[in-house]
Amino acid sequence: MIKVKRIDHVAIAVADRDASARQLEGLFGLATGAREHVAGQKTDVAFLTAGDDDAASLEVCAPAGNESLRKFLDARGPGLHHICFEVDDLPAALSSLKAAGVRLIDETPRPGARGHMVAFLHPAATGGILFELCAAGHGGSPA
């Protein structure tokens, strides 16, 4: 199977990125990191951290044209959306998972937030939980 380096982030789906980020910052004393519009995923995201650059982040993710995320919010309301693992070699990880019969949403990496390349595993393959894999990548553009 694949080798996970660390939990990169835990994502929560929200209707309003900025209002939710402010609320969580105030409640937990978190610091805002990258904020951006991820055009390829049609989302607005903000990353919140507890201060340690190597610690996992909390991603606040709001739809900005992403119908799947909008449907998620309409059906379930705000809440846990996915967990993201960082890997060293994303294409190799995807190839290994595919060879093992794991159902993938993304068979090839695509640009994500913070300049990372990302790919999602289908929740049907992981007990109903949406997992994302990421690797440092293309050098994105924060908003």
Side-chain angles (χ1 to χ4, degrees):
M1 278 289 109
I2 68 171
K3 174 73 171 133
V4 170
K5 288 176 63 175
R6 67 186 187 101
I7 296 173
D8 183 77
H9 66 269
V10 174
I12 58 171
V14 300
D16 184 324
R17 172 195 66 185
D18 295 332
S20 295
R22 280 192 302 274
Q23 179 186 28
L24 293 168
E25 288 168 344
L27 279 173
F28 302 114
L30 300 173
T32 299
R35 287 184 55 228
E36 62 186 284
H37 172 73
V38 184
Q41 295 181 14
K42 298 180 184 176
T43 58
D44 290 327
V45 301
F47 288 86
L48 306 174
T49 64
D52 182 353
D53 287 339
D54 289 334
S57 298
L58 178 64
E59 179 186 32
V60 178
C61 184
N66 183 312
E67 286 306 310
S68 179
L69 187 56
R70 170 63 51 209
K71 288 177 185 176
F72 177 95
L73 284 167
D74 290 346
R76 297 182 179 107
L80 179 64
H81 187 259
H82 68 268
I83 299 168
C84 180
F85 291 134
E86 181 182 356
V87 298
D88 279 323
D89 186 339
L90 184 52
L94 293 171
S95 178
S96 175
L97 290 167
K98 184 176 179 180
V102 175
R103 187 170 169 195
L104 306 174
I105 292 174
D106 299 300
E107 292 192 12
T108 58
R110 59 185 161 120
R114 298 177 299 158
H116 289 68
M117 296 301 290
V118 303
F120 286 87
L121 311 182
H122 198 284
T126 56
I129 300 166
L130 180 62
F131 282 94
E132 177 184 21
L133 302 179
C134 75
H138 68 338
S141 54

PDB file of all heavy atoms in Angstrom, residues 39-81:
ATOM      1  N   ALA A  39      -9.966  27.643  -8.278  1.00  0.00           N
ATOM      2  CA  ALA A  39     -10.794  27.690  -9.485  1.00  0.00           C
ATOM      3  C   ALA A  39     -11.130  26.307 -10.014  1.00  0.00           C
ATOM      4  O   ALA A  39     -12.271  26.037 -10.389  1.00  0.00           O
ATOM      5  CB  ALA A  39     -10.095  28.527 -10.560  1.00  0.00           C
ATOM      6  N   GLY A  40     -10.153  25.410 -10.041  1.00  0.00           N
ATOM      7  CA  GLY A  40     -10.370  24.071 -10.584  1.00  0.00           C
ATOM      8  C   GLY A  40     -11.359  23.242  -9.776  1.00  0.00           C
ATOM      9  O   GLY A  40     -11.953  22.303 -10.293  1.00  0.00           O
ATOM     10  N   GLN A  41     -11.537  23.580  -8.498  1.00  0.00           N
ATOM     11  CA  GLN A  41     -12.483  22.861  -7.653  1.00  0.00           C
ATOM     12  C   GLN A  41     -13.716  23.696  -7.325  1.00  0.00           C
ATOM     13  O   GLN A  41     -14.613  23.228  -6.627  1.00  0.00           O
ATOM     14  CB  GLN A  41     -11.787  22.396  -6.372  1.00  0.00           C
ATOM     15  CG  GLN A  41     -10.705  21.389  -6.657  1.00  0.00           C
ATOM     16  CD  GLN A  41     -10.020  20.905  -5.389  1.00  0.00           C
ATOM     17  OE1 GLN A  41     -10.483  21.100  -4.279  1.00  0.00           O
ATOM     18  NE2 GLN A  41      -8.881  20.259  -5.569  1.00  0.00           N
ATOM     19  N   LYS A  42     -13.725  24.948  -7.806  1.00  0.00           N
ATOM     20  CA  LYS A  42     -14.848  25.862  -7.591  1.00  0.00           C
ATOM     21  C   LYS A  42     -15.194  25.974  -6.103  1.00  0.00           C
ATOM     22  O   LYS A  42     -16.336  25.801  -5.687  1.00  0.00           O
ATOM     23  CB  LYS A  42     -16.073  25.446  -8.404  1.00  0.00           C
ATOM     24  CG  LYS A  42     -15.830  25.462  -9.903  1.00  0.00           C
ATOM     25  CD  LYS A  42     -17.057  25.036 -10.657  1.00  0.00           C
ATOM     26  CE  LYS A  42     -16.745  24.980 -12.139  1.00  0.00           C
ATOM     27  NZ  LYS A  42     -17.878  24.484 -12.910  1.00  0.00           N
ATOM     28  N   THR A  43     -14.141  26.229  -5.303  1.00  0.00           N
ATOM     29  CA  THR A  43     -14.313  26.390  -3.865  1.00  0.00           C
ATOM     30  C   THR A  43     -13.522  27.600  -3.376  1.00  0.00           C
ATOM     31  O   THR A  43     -12.548  28.014  -4.007  1.00  0.00           O
ATOM     32  CB  THR A  43     -13.820  25.147  -3.091  1.00  0.00           C
ATOM     33  OG1 THR A  43     -12.443  24.920  -3.401  1.00  0.00           O
ATOM     34  CG2 THR A  43     -14.635  23.912  -3.421  1.00  0.00           C
ATOM     35  N   ASP A  44     -13.965  28.135  -2.243  1.00  0.00           N
ATOM     36  CA  ASP A  44     -13.213  29.144  -1.512  1.00  0.00           C
ATOM     37  C   ASP A  44     -12.758  28.490  -0.230  1.00  0.00           C
ATOM     38  O   ASP A  44     -13.575  27.906   0.504  1.00  0.00           O
ATOM     39  CB  ASP A  44     -14.091  30.361  -1.189  1.00  0.00           C
ATOM     40  CG  ASP A  44     -14.433  31.169  -2.424  1.00  0.00           C
ATOM     41  OD1 ASP A  44     -13.592  31.236  -3.353  1.00  0.00           O
ATOM     42  OD2 ASP A  44     -15.529  31.749  -2.466  1.00  0.00           O
ATOM     43  N   VAL A  45     -11.448  28.541   0.053  1.00  0.00           N
ATOM     44  CA  VAL A  45     -10.908  27.852   1.212  1.00  0.00           C
ATOM     45  C   VAL A  45     -10.071  28.794   2.067  1.00  0.00           C
ATOM     46  O   VAL A  45      -9.511  29.773   1.572  1.00  0.00           O
ATOM     47  CB  VAL A  45     -10.060  26.617   0.813  1.00  0.00           C
ATOM     48  CG1 VAL A  45     -10.887  25.608   0.021  1.00  0.00           C
ATOM     49  CG2 VAL A  45      -8.823  27.018   0.035  1.00  0.00           C
ATOM     50  N   ALA A  46     -10.003  28.464   3.344  1.00  0.00           N
ATOM     51  CA  ALA A  46      -9.088  29.120   4.274  1.00  0.00           C
ATOM     52  C   ALA A  46      -8.498  28.026   5.142  1.00  0.00           C
ATOM     53  O   ALA A  46      -9.199  27.089   5.545  1.00  0.00           O
ATOM     54  CB  ALA A  46      -9.826  30.137   5.137  1.00  0.00           C
ATOM     55  N   PHE A  47      -7.215  28.122   5.411  1.00  0.00           N
ATOM     56  CA  PHE A  47      -6.542  27.157   6.272  1.00  0.00           C
ATOM     57  C   PHE A  47      -6.241  27.809   7.602  1.00  0.00           C
ATOM     58  O   PHE A  47      -5.688  28.911   7.665  1.00  0.00           O
ATOM     59  CB  PHE A  47      -5.253  26.652   5.604  1.00  0.00           C
ATOM     60  CG  PHE A  47      -5.522  25.745   4.444  1.00  0.00           C
ATOM     61  CD1 PHE A  47      -5.737  26.260   3.173  1.00  0.00           C
ATOM     62  CD2 PHE A  47      -5.593  24.377   4.630  1.00  0.00           C
ATOM     63  CE1 PHE A  47      -6.010  25.420   2.107  1.00  0.00           C
ATOM     64  CE2 PHE A  47      -5.868  23.530   3.570  1.00  0.00           C
ATOM     65  CZ  PHE A  47      -6.075  24.047   2.307  1.00  0.00           C
ATOM     66  N   LEU A  48      -6.620  27.136   8.675  1.00  0.00           N
ATOM     67  CA  LEU A  48      -6.406  27.622  10.031  1.00  0.00           C
ATOM     68  C   LEU A  48      -5.430  26.681  10.719  1.00  0.00           C
ATOM     69  O   LEU A  48      -5.506  25.467  10.554  1.00  0.00           O
ATOM     70  CB  LEU A  48      -7.730  27.657  10.795  1.00  0.00           C
ATOM     71  CG  LEU A  48      -8.868  28.423  10.128  1.00  0.00           C
ATOM     72  CD1 LEU A  48     -10.160  28.266  10.922  1.00  0.00           C
ATOM     73  CD2 LEU A  48      -8.518  29.885   9.960  1.00  0.00           C
ATOM     74  N   THR A  49      -4.526  27.262  11.507  1.00  0.00           N
ATOM     75  CA  THR A  49      -3.534  26.442  12.199  1.00  0.00           C
ATOM     76  C   THR A  49      -3.450  26.839  13.660  1.00  0.00           C
ATOM     77  O   THR A  49      -3.847  27.934  14.054  1.00  0.00           O
ATOM     78  CB  THR A  49      -2.133  26.604  11.568  1.00  0.00           C
ATOM     79  OG1 THR A  49      -1.700  27.948  11.748  1.00  0.00           O
ATOM     80  CG2 THR A  49      -2.146  26.234  10.091  1.00  0.00           C
ATOM     81  N   ALA A  50      -2.885  25.931  14.442  1.00  0.00           N
ATOM     82  CA  ALA A  50      -2.666  26.185  15.860  1.00  0.00           C
ATOM     83  C   ALA A  50      -1.298  26.818  16.090  1.00  0.00           C
ATOM     84  O   ALA A  50      -0.872  26.966  17.213  1.00  0.00           O
ATOM     85  CB  ALA A  50      -2.798  24.892  16.651  1.00  0.00           C
ATOM     86  N   GLY A  51      -0.599  27.172  15.037  1.00  0.00           N
ATOM     87  CA  GLY A  51       0.662  27.892  15.161  1.00  0.00           C
ATOM     88  C   GLY A  51       1.886  27.132  14.719  1.00  0.00           C
ATOM     89  O   GLY A  51       2.873  27.721  14.338  1.00  0.00           O
ATOM     90  N   ASP A  52       1.865  25.809  14.745  1.00  0.00           N
ATOM     91  CA  ASP A  52       3.012  25.013  14.341  1.00  0.00           C
ATOM     92  C   ASP A  52       2.914  24.747  12.846  1.00  0.00           C
ATOM     93  O   ASP A  52       1.957  24.150  12.373  1.00  0.00           O
ATOM     94  CB  ASP A  52       3.012  23.695  15.122  1.00  0.00           C
ATOM     95  CG  ASP A  52       4.207  22.808  14.799  1.00  0.00           C
ATOM     96  OD1 ASP A  52       4.982  23.136  13.883  1.00  0.00           O
ATOM     97  OD2 ASP A  52       4.356  21.788  15.480  1.00  0.00           O
ATOM     98  N   ASP A  53       3.920  25.193  12.086  1.00  0.00           N
ATOM     99  CA  ASP A  53       3.888  25.039  10.628  1.00  0.00           C
ATOM    100  C   ASP A  53       3.778  23.589  10.176  1.00  0.00           C
ATOM    101  O   ASP A  53       3.286  23.305   9.096  1.00  0.00           O
ATOM    102  CB  ASP A  53       5.121  25.672   9.988  1.00  0.00           C
ATOM    103  CG  ASP A  53       5.074  27.193  10.017  1.00  0.00           C
ATOM    104  OD1 ASP A  53       3.969  27.754  10.162  1.00  0.00           O
ATOM    105  OD2 ASP A  53       6.142  27.811   9.902  1.00  0.00           O
ATOM    106  N   ASP A  54       4.273  22.649  10.987  1.00  0.00           N
ATOM    107  CA  ASP A  54       4.226  21.245  10.612  1.00  0.00           C
ATOM    108  C   ASP A  54       2.949  20.549  11.072  1.00  0.00           C
ATOM    109  O   ASP A  54       2.714  19.394  10.738  1.00  0.00           O
ATOM    110  CB  ASP A  54       5.435  20.500  11.187  1.00  0.00           C
ATOM    111  CG  ASP A  54       6.725  20.894  10.479  1.00  0.00           C
ATOM    112  OD1 ASP A  54       6.661  21.316   9.309  1.00  0.00           O
ATOM    113  OD2 ASP A  54       7.794  20.783  11.101  1.00  0.00           O
ATOM    114  N   ALA A  55       2.140  21.257  11.853  1.00  0.00           N
ATOM    115  CA  ALA A  55       0.910  20.650  12.362  1.00  0.00           C
ATOM    116  C   ALA A  55      -0.149  20.601  11.265  1.00  0.00           C
ATOM    117  O   ALA A  55      -0.122  21.375  10.311  1.00  0.00           O
ATOM    118  CB  ALA A  55       0.376  21.452  13.550  1.00  0.00           C
ATOM    119  N   ALA A  56      -1.073  19.680  11.423  1.00  0.00           N
ATOM    120  CA  ALA A  56      -2.190  19.604  10.486  1.00  0.00           C
ATOM    121  C   ALA A  56      -3.009  20.881  10.566  1.00  0.00           C
ATOM    122  O   ALA A  56      -3.123  21.503  11.623  1.00  0.00           O
ATOM    123  CB  ALA A  56      -3.059  18.392  10.813  1.00  0.00           C
ATOM    124  N   SER A  57      -3.589  21.267   9.460  1.00  0.00           N
ATOM    125  CA  SER A  57      -4.436  22.450   9.380  1.00  0.00           C
ATOM    126  C   SER A  57      -5.902  22.049   9.395  1.00  0.00           C
ATOM    127  O   SER A  57      -6.245  20.897   9.129  1.00  0.00           O
ATOM    128  CB  SER A  57      -4.171  23.203   8.067  1.00  0.00           C
ATOM    129  OG  SER A  57      -2.851  23.656   7.994  1.00  0.00           O
ATOM    130  N   LEU A  58      -6.723  23.022   9.671  1.00  0.00           N
ATOM    131  CA  LEU A  58      -8.156  22.881   9.502  1.00  0.00           C
ATOM    132  C   LEU A  58      -8.502  23.680   8.249  1.00  0.00           C
ATOM    133  O   LEU A  58      -8.189  24.871   8.164  1.00  0.00           O
ATOM    134  CB  LEU A  58      -8.898  23.445  10.712  1.00  0.00           C
ATOM    135  CG  LEU A  58     -10.419  23.411  10.656  1.00  0.00           C
ATOM    136  CD1 LEU A  58     -10.919  21.973  10.626  1.00  0.00           C
ATOM    137  CD2 LEU A  58     -10.990  24.143  11.862  1.00  0.00           C
ATOM    138  N   GLU A  59      -9.081  23.019   7.255  1.00  0.00           N
ATOM    139  CA  GLU A  59      -9.479  23.699   6.021  1.00  0.00           C
ATOM    140  C   GLU A  59     -10.965  24.022   6.120  1.00  0.00           C
ATOM    141  O   GLU A  59     -11.792  23.139   6.322  1.00  0.00           O
ATOM    142  CB  GLU A  59      -9.230  22.812   4.803  1.00  0.00           C
ATOM    143  CG  GLU A  59      -9.657  23.479   3.498  1.00  0.00           C
ATOM    144  CD  GLU A  59      -9.547  22.554   2.290  1.00  0.00           C
ATOM    145  OE1 GLU A  59      -9.735  21.330   2.445  1.00  0.00           O
ATOM    146  OE2 GLU A  59      -9.281  23.068   1.191  1.00  0.00           O
ATOM    147  N   VAL A  60     -11.287  25.290   5.970  1.00  0.00           N
ATOM    148  CA  VAL A  60     -12.675  25.741   5.914  1.00  0.00           C
ATOM    149  C   VAL A  60     -12.984  25.888   4.427  1.00  0.00           C
ATOM    150  O   VAL A  60     -12.338  26.660   3.730  1.00  0.00           O
ATOM    151  CB  VAL A  60     -12.843  27.077   6.667  1.00  0.00           C
ATOM    152  CG1 VAL A  60     -14.262  27.568   6.572  1.00  0.00           C
ATOM    153  CG2 VAL A  60     -12.416  26.924   8.119  1.00  0.00           C
ATOM    154  N   CYS A  61     -13.943  25.116   3.954  1.00  0.00           N
ATOM    155  CA  CYS A  61     -14.181  24.982   2.518  1.00  0.00           C
ATOM    156  C   CYS A  61     -15.627  25.346   2.182  1.00  0.00           C
ATOM    157  O   CYS A  61     -16.554  24.726   2.694  1.00  0.00           O
ATOM    158  CB  CYS A  61     -13.883  23.538   2.133  1.00  0.00           C
ATOM    159  SG  CYS A  61     -13.995  23.196   0.386  1.00  0.00           S
ATOM    160  N   ALA A  62     -15.808  26.356   1.334  1.00  0.00           N
ATOM    161  CA  ALA A  62     -17.143  26.800   0.935  1.00  0.00           C
ATOM    162  C   ALA A  62     -17.299  26.676  -0.576  1.00  0.00           C
ATOM    163  O   ALA A  62     -16.355  26.913  -1.327  1.00  0.00           O
ATOM    164  CB  ALA A  62     -17.363  28.248   1.358  1.00  0.00           C
ATOM    165  N   PRO A  63     -18.490  26.299  -1.030  1.00  0.00           N
ATOM    166  CA  PRO A  63     -18.708  26.196  -2.474  1.00  0.00           C
ATOM    167  C   PRO A  63     -18.689  27.572  -3.133  1.00  0.00           C
ATOM    168  O   PRO A  63     -19.200  28.549  -2.583  1.00  0.00           O
ATOM    169  CB  PRO A  63     -20.088  25.549  -2.584  1.00  0.00           C
ATOM    170  CG  PRO A  63     -20.765  25.816  -1.292  1.00  0.00           C
ATOM    171  CD  PRO A  63     -19.694  25.962  -0.263  1.00  0.00           C
ATOM    172  N   ALA A  64     -18.062  27.623  -4.272  1.00  0.00           N
ATOM    173  CA  ALA A  64     -18.054  28.825  -5.107  1.00  0.00           C
ATOM    174  C   ALA A  64     -18.348  28.353  -6.528  1.00  0.00           C
ATOM    175  O   ALA A  64     -17.543  28.504  -7.430  1.00  0.00           O
ATOM    176  CB  ALA A  64     -16.721  29.550  -5.015  1.00  0.00           C
ATOM    177  N   GLY A  65     -19.499  27.673  -6.658  1.00  0.00           N
ATOM    178  CA  GLY A  65     -19.874  27.069  -7.921  1.00  0.00           C
ATOM    179  C   GLY A  65     -19.749  25.552  -7.904  1.00  0.00           C
ATOM    180  O   GLY A  65     -20.120  24.894  -8.871  1.00  0.00           O
ATOM    181  N   ASN A  66     -19.237  24.973  -6.829  1.00  0.00           N
ATOM    182  CA  ASN A  66     -19.075  23.524  -6.718  1.00  0.00           C
ATOM    183  C   ASN A  66     -20.405  22.908  -6.295  1.00  0.00           C
ATOM    184  O   ASN A  66     -20.805  22.988  -5.140  1.00  0.00           O
ATOM    185  CB  ASN A  66     -17.976  23.207  -5.701  1.00  0.00           C
ATOM    186  CG  ASN A  66     -17.695  21.733  -5.565  1.00  0.00           C
ATOM    187  OD1 ASN A  66     -18.607  20.929  -5.432  1.00  0.00           O
ATOM    188  ND2 ASN A  66     -16.423  21.382  -5.586  1.00  0.00           N
ATOM    189  N   GLU A  67     -21.098  22.298  -7.244  1.00  0.00           N
ATOM    190  CA  GLU A  67     -22.432  21.742  -6.988  1.00  0.00           C
ATOM    191  C   GLU A  67     -22.400  20.565  -6.021  1.00  0.00           C
ATOM    192  O   GLU A  67     -23.307  20.393  -5.213  1.00  0.00           O
ATOM    193  CB  GLU A  67     -23.120  21.347  -8.297  1.00  0.00           C
ATOM    194  CG  GLU A  67     -23.612  22.545  -9.081  1.00  0.00           C
ATOM    195  CD  GLU A  67     -24.519  23.460  -8.270  1.00  0.00           C
ATOM    196  OE1 GLU A  67     -25.477  22.971  -7.636  1.00  0.00           O
ATOM    197  OE2 GLU A  67     -24.261  24.682  -8.246  1.00  0.00           O
ATOM    198  N   SER A  68     -21.361  19.762  -6.091  1.00  0.00           N
ATOM    199  CA  SER A  68     -21.245  18.620  -5.189  1.00  0.00           C
ATOM    200  C   SER A  68     -21.129  19.082  -3.735  1.00  0.00           C
ATOM    201  O   SER A  68     -21.786  18.537  -2.841  1.00  0.00           O
ATOM    202  CB  SER A  68     -20.034  17.774  -5.584  1.00  0.00           C
ATOM    203  OG  SER A  68     -19.890  16.684  -4.727  1.00  0.00           O
ATOM    204  N   LEU A  69     -20.324  20.088  -3.506  1.00  0.00           N
ATOM    205  CA  LEU A  69     -20.175  20.627  -2.150  1.00  0.00           C
ATOM    206  C   LEU A  69     -21.460  21.314  -1.698  1.00  0.00           C
ATOM    207  O   LEU A  69     -21.865  21.204  -0.535  1.00  0.00           O
ATOM    208  CB  LEU A  69     -18.975  21.577  -2.080  1.00  0.00           C
ATOM    209  CG  LEU A  69     -18.585  22.084  -0.694  1.00  0.00           C
ATOM    210  CD1 LEU A  69     -18.324  20.942   0.277  1.00  0.00           C
ATOM    211  CD2 LEU A  69     -17.363  22.990  -0.805  1.00  0.00           C
ATOM    212  N   ARG A  70     -22.115  22.003  -2.608  1.00  0.00           N
ATOM    213  CA  ARG A  70     -23.394  22.643  -2.286  1.00  0.00           C
ATOM    214  C   ARG A  70     -24.430  21.584  -1.889  1.00  0.00           C
ATOM    215  O   ARG A  70     -25.144  21.739  -0.897  1.00  0.00           O
ATOM    216  CB  ARG A  70     -23.902  23.461  -3.479  1.00  0.00           C
ATOM    217  CG  ARG A  70     -25.321  23.981  -3.372  1.00  0.00           C
ATOM    218  CD  ARG A  70     -25.605  24.956  -2.255  1.00  0.00           C
ATOM    219  NE  ARG A  70     -24.677  26.042  -2.228  1.00  0.00           N
ATOM    220  CZ  ARG A  70     -24.326  26.696  -1.103  1.00  0.00           C
ATOM    221  NH1 ARG A  70     -24.844  26.364   0.049  1.00  0.00           N
ATOM    222  NH2 ARG A  70     -23.477  27.667  -1.133  1.00  0.00           N
ATOM    223  N   LYS A  71     -24.496  20.497  -2.641  1.00  0.00           N
ATOM    224  CA  LYS A  71     -25.426  19.409  -2.311  1.00  0.00           C
ATOM    225  C   LYS A  71     -25.081  18.791  -0.959  1.00  0.00           C
ATOM    226  O   LYS A  71     -25.974  18.437  -0.193  1.00  0.00           O
ATOM    227  CB  LYS A  71     -25.410  18.334  -3.406  1.00  0.00           C
ATOM    228  CG  LYS A  71     -26.075  18.769  -4.690  1.00  0.00           C
ATOM    229  CD  LYS A  71     -25.967  17.688  -5.747  1.00  0.00           C
ATOM    230  CE  LYS A  71     -26.519  18.170  -7.064  1.00  0.00           C
ATOM    231  NZ  LYS A  71     -26.355  17.183  -8.136  1.00  0.00           N
ATOM    232  N   PHE A  72     -23.797  18.636  -0.671  1.00  0.00           N
ATOM    233  CA  PHE A  72     -23.356  18.117   0.623  1.00  0.00           C
ATOM    234  C   PHE A  72     -23.902  19.000   1.745  1.00  0.00           C
ATOM    235  O   PHE A  72     -24.474  18.506   2.715  1.00  0.00           O
ATOM    236  CB  PHE A  72     -21.819  18.072   0.667  1.00  0.00           C
ATOM    237  CG  PHE A  72     -21.251  17.628   1.989  1.00  0.00           C
ATOM    238  CD1 PHE A  72     -20.916  16.300   2.189  1.00  0.00           C
ATOM    239  CD2 PHE A  72     -21.039  18.530   3.018  1.00  0.00           C
ATOM    240  CE1 PHE A  72     -20.382  15.885   3.412  1.00  0.00           C
ATOM    241  CE2 PHE A  72     -20.515  18.125   4.236  1.00  0.00           C
ATOM    242  CZ  PHE A  72     -20.179  16.797   4.432  1.00  0.00           C
ATOM    243  N   LEU A  73     -23.736  20.309   1.605  1.00  0.00           N
ATOM    244  CA  LEU A  73     -24.218  21.248   2.632  1.00  0.00           C
ATOM    245  C   LEU A  73     -25.736  21.231   2.736  1.00  0.00           C
ATOM    246  O   LEU A  73     -26.281  21.266   3.846  1.00  0.00           O
ATOM    247  CB  LEU A  73     -23.726  22.664   2.327  1.00  0.00           C
ATOM    248  CG  LEU A  73     -22.261  22.939   2.638  1.00  0.00           C
ATOM    249  CD1 LEU A  73     -21.820  24.250   2.007  1.00  0.00           C
ATOM    250  CD2 LEU A  73     -22.019  22.939   4.133  1.00  0.00           C
ATOM    251  N   ASP A  74     -26.410  21.168   1.603  1.00  0.00           N
ATOM    252  CA  ASP A  74     -27.871  21.134   1.620  1.00  0.00           C
ATOM    253  C   ASP A  74     -28.391  19.882   2.327  1.00  0.00           C
ATOM    254  O   ASP A  74     -29.375  19.938   3.056  1.00  0.00           O
ATOM    255  CB  ASP A  74     -28.440  21.195   0.197  1.00  0.00           C
ATOM    256  CG  ASP A  74     -28.248  22.557  -0.461  1.00  0.00           C
ATOM    257  OD1 ASP A  74     -27.921  23.542   0.247  1.00  0.00           O
ATOM    258  OD2 ASP A  74     -28.410  22.634  -1.695  1.00  0.00           O
ATOM    259  N   ALA A  75     -27.718  18.757   2.119  1.00  0.00           N
ATOM    260  CA  ALA A  75     -28.171  17.491   2.700  1.00  0.00           C
ATOM    261  C   ALA A  75     -27.759  17.324   4.163  1.00  0.00           C
ATOM    262  O   ALA A  75     -28.523  16.808   4.970  1.00  0.00           O
ATOM    263  CB  ALA A  75     -27.626  16.316   1.886  1.00  0.00           C
ATOM    264  N   ARG A  76     -26.548  17.789   4.499  1.00  0.00           N
ATOM    265  CA  ARG A  76     -26.002  17.502   5.829  1.00  0.00           C
ATOM    266  C   ARG A  76     -25.757  18.724   6.694  1.00  0.00           C
ATOM    267  O   ARG A  76     -25.529  18.591   7.892  1.00  0.00           O
ATOM    268  CB  ARG A  76     -24.676  16.754   5.678  1.00  0.00           C
ATOM    269  CG  ARG A  76     -24.824  15.410   4.996  1.00  0.00           C
ATOM    270  CD  ARG A  76     -23.474  14.703   4.937  1.00  0.00           C
ATOM    271  NE  ARG A  76     -23.614  13.406   4.304  1.00  0.00           N
ATOM    272  CZ  ARG A  76     -23.182  13.131   3.097  1.00  0.00           C
ATOM    273  NH1 ARG A  76     -22.579  14.027   2.380  1.00  0.00           N
ATOM    274  NH2 ARG A  76     -23.353  11.933   2.594  1.00  0.00           N
ATOM    275  N   GLY A  77     -25.708  19.892   6.074  1.00  0.00           N
ATOM    276  CA  GLY A  77     -25.328  21.084   6.816  1.00  0.00           C
ATOM    277  C   GLY A  77     -23.814  21.137   6.978  1.00  0.00           C
ATOM    278  O   GLY A  77     -23.093  20.258   6.507  1.00  0.00           O
ATOM    279  N   PRO A  78     -23.314  22.169   7.647  1.00  0.00           N
ATOM    280  CA  PRO A  78     -21.871  22.294   7.835  1.00  0.00           C
ATOM    281  C   PRO A  78     -21.323  21.124   8.650  1.00  0.00           C
ATOM    282  O   PRO A  78     -22.002  20.607   9.534  1.00  0.00           O
ATOM    283  CB  PRO A  78     -21.705  23.601   8.604  1.00  0.00           C
ATOM    284  CG  PRO A  78     -23.037  24.218   8.699  1.00  0.00           C
ATOM    285  CD  PRO A  78     -24.065  23.236   8.268  1.00  0.00           C
ATOM    286  N   GLY A  79     -20.112  20.724   8.329  1.00  0.00           N
ATOM    287  CA  GLY A  79     -19.496  19.651   9.099  1.00  0.00           C
ATOM    288  C   GLY A  79     -18.306  19.049   8.401  1.00  0.00           C
ATOM    289  O   GLY A  79     -17.849  19.532   7.360  1.00  0.00           O
ATOM    290  N   LEU A  80     -17.803  17.969   8.987  1.00  0.00           N
ATOM    291  CA  LEU A  80     -16.633  17.289   8.457  1.00  0.00           C
ATOM    292  C   LEU A  80     -16.866  16.882   7.002  1.00  0.00           C
ATOM    293  O   LEU A  80     -17.879  16.263   6.676  1.00  0.00           O
ATOM    294  CB  LEU A  80     -16.330  16.034   9.293  1.00  0.00           C
ATOM    295  CG  LEU A  80     -15.143  15.205   8.843  1.00  0.00           C
ATOM    296  CD1 LEU A  80     -13.844  15.998   8.968  1.00  0.00           C
ATOM    297  CD2 LEU A  80     -15.059  13.936   9.664  1.00  0.00           C
ATOM    298  N   HIS A  81     -15.927  17.239   6.135  1.00  0.00           N
ATOM    299  CA  HIS A  81     -16.047  16.908   4.717  1.00  0.00           C
ATOM    300  C   HIS A  81     -15.025  15.852   4.295  1.00  0.00           C
ATOM    301  O   HIS A  81     -15.390  14.858   3.690  1.00  0.00           O
ATOM    302  CB  HIS A  81     -15.897  18.162   3.857  1.00  0.00           C
ATOM    303  CG  HIS A  81     -16.182  17.925   2.428  1.00  0.00           C
ATOM    304  ND1 HIS A  81     -15.186  17.774   1.484  1.00  0.00           N
ATOM    305  CD2 HIS A  81     -17.353  17.773   1.762  1.00  0.00           C
ATOM    306  CE1 HIS A  81     -15.746  17.558   0.298  1.00  0.00           C
ATOM    307  NE2 HIS A  81     -17.056  17.547   0.440  1.00  0.00           N
TER     308      HIS A  81
END
